[in-house]
Amino acid sequence: MNAVFYIAAAVAAVSTIMVVSRSNAVYSLLYLIVSLLSVALIFFVLGAPFIAALEVIIYAGAIMVLFVFTIMMLNLGPQTAEQERKWLSGRAWAGPSILVAILMAEMLYVLWGGDHQVEGRHIVEPKEVSVALYGPYVMIVELSSMLLLGGLVAAYHLGRRVHGDGKEQQP
Amino acid sequence: MMATVPTEYGMVLAAVLFCTGLVGLLVRRNVLFMLMSTEIMLNAAGLAFVVAGSRWHEPDGQIMFMIIVTMAGAEVAVGLALIMRFYHLFKTLDTDAADTLKG
């Protein structure tokens, strides 16, 4: 079980360094997703399965999709098709694919390892997290909803199209 | 009962990820990469919380991580909307284009 942690940590470090060193935004986004997935595996190994699922669903899923949408919206133009063809080349996918394959092998190892792998490690169950979240931390839930509403309103306000003369267009 | 992995190693990993994100934030001039570096730093902070929560077998660290995820979601939505507005104004993603404080 320790080896799983160390390998996942190495994958996380390598992919994160690749994120900040790539010049193409799409490549670095791929490596960022790999980094998030490896951190999710680390969460699972450390006994936080609920948080591992949240990391995959919300971070690697929803937030990264926002990034992909933005990158694609900023790249409108005739050269997009050529770029698209370039991105589909094998070289671009090789690095992230290898790292993800390592993570996949680790995940299969953990899942098929059986219950004896869990020994010596305390799992904080989703039930405990939920009881604490809606018990002493219930105010945090309310504040989170207000924060998300604020983010929604701000994103909608900023996302409107503006004409050259500064007048705002009706959505 | 002890964790199978020393807590220090998890903290070291969180520090490494955080420093990588910080270097990316300071070095890159593309605003999209700066937002990604911010995400890395937030994720590293969340990792530190979960590692600490796992050390004391308490759910509080995981709850802090959930708050960080919520905050990151709101931040990314606003940040990406700002990036779209920025691109329409300056036709570039270089932050040095916006050094005059006059939109």
Side-chain angles (χ1 to χ4, degrees):
Chain A
M1 215 53 168
N2 286 7
V4 172
F5 174 83
Y6 295 131
I7 294 171
V11 171
V14 168
S15 57
T16 307
I17 289 170
M18 296 299 266
V19 171
V20 293
S21 63
R22 294 302 93 181
S23 55
N24 193 322
V26 175
Y27 296 169
S28 106
L29 199 60
L30 280 175
Y31 280 110
L32 183 52
I33 292 173
V34 175
S35 166
L36 295 174
L37 290 179
S38 56
V39 171
L41 186 63
I42 289 171
F43 286 160
F44 189 77
V45 172
L46 285 177
F50 184 51
I51 291 303
L54 274 189
E55 172 99 2
V56 172
I57 295 171
I58 298 181
Y59 246 123
I63 294 181
M64 290 304 117
V65 163
L66 274 183
F67 271 102
V68 171
F69 276 165
T70 309
I71 289 175
M72 296 302 162
M73 282 169 82
L74 293 180
N75 270 323
L76 293 177
Q79 76 276 25
T80 310
E82 182 58 36
Q83 236 172 13
E84 199 77 31
R85 203 170 302 121
K86 226 166 44 187
W87 287 342
L88 286 178
S89 70
R91 207 166 51 81
W93 293 87
S97 303
I98 291 169
L99 293 176
V100 163
I102 294 173
L103 289 179
M104 182 78 184
E106 282 194 310
M107 195 188 73
L108 291 179
Y109 171 74
V110 169
L111 288 182
W112 283 345
D115 280 338
H116 65 277
Q117 296 286 351
V118 178
E119 208 170 353
R121 180 168 58 93
H122 184 86
I123 297 180
V124 179
E125 298 283 348
K127 185 179 171 187
E128 293 175 58
V129 179
S130 313
V131 166
L133 185 63
Y134 287 99
Y137 286 102
V138 70
M139 192 56 80
I140 291 286
V141 180
E142 300 295 332
L143 287 176
S144 296
S145 68
M146 290 165 83
L147 173 69
L148 286 175
L149 180 65
L152 175 71
V153 171
Y156 182 73
H157 178 73
L158 290 169
R160 286 173 309 175
R161 292 208 175 267
V162 179
H163 286 303
D165 56 355
K167 282 179 81 173
E168 281 160 1
Q169 200 178 31
Q170 287 301 317
Chain B
M1 184 181 277
M2 53 169 286
T4 49
V5 175
T7 307
E8 290 82 7
Y9 290 178
M11 287 298 178
V12 165
L13 175 66
V16 166
L17 293 185
F18 191 89
C19 289
T20 312
L22 186 62
V23 167
L25 183 66
L26 294 176
V27 169
R28 304 306 293 259
R29 290 272 70 86
N30 188 322
V31 65
L32 203 58
F33 283 94
M34 293 170 79
L35 198 59
M36 280 189 214
S37 304
T38 318
E39 288 305 302
I40 294 171
M41 289 162 69
L42 284 175
N43 196 42
L47 176 66
F49 270 116
V50 173
V51 168
S54 159
R55 165 67 179 80
W56 280 284
H57 307 159
E58 292 288 338
D60 303 64
Q62 301 191 22
I63 289 170
M64 288 309 289
F65 182 83
M66 277 188 224
I67 298 161
I68 288 176
V69 166
T70 311
M71 203 263 293
E75 178 240 342
V76 161
V78 175
L80 288 175
L82 274 174
I83 286 178
M84 298 296 294
R85 178 63 73 93
F86 184 91
Y87 187 74
H88 284 153
L89 270 178
F90 297 105
K91 303 299 175 209
T92 176
L93 287 176
D94 191 351
T95 44
D96 286 340
D99 57 355
T100 59
L101 283 185
K102 263 185 87 176

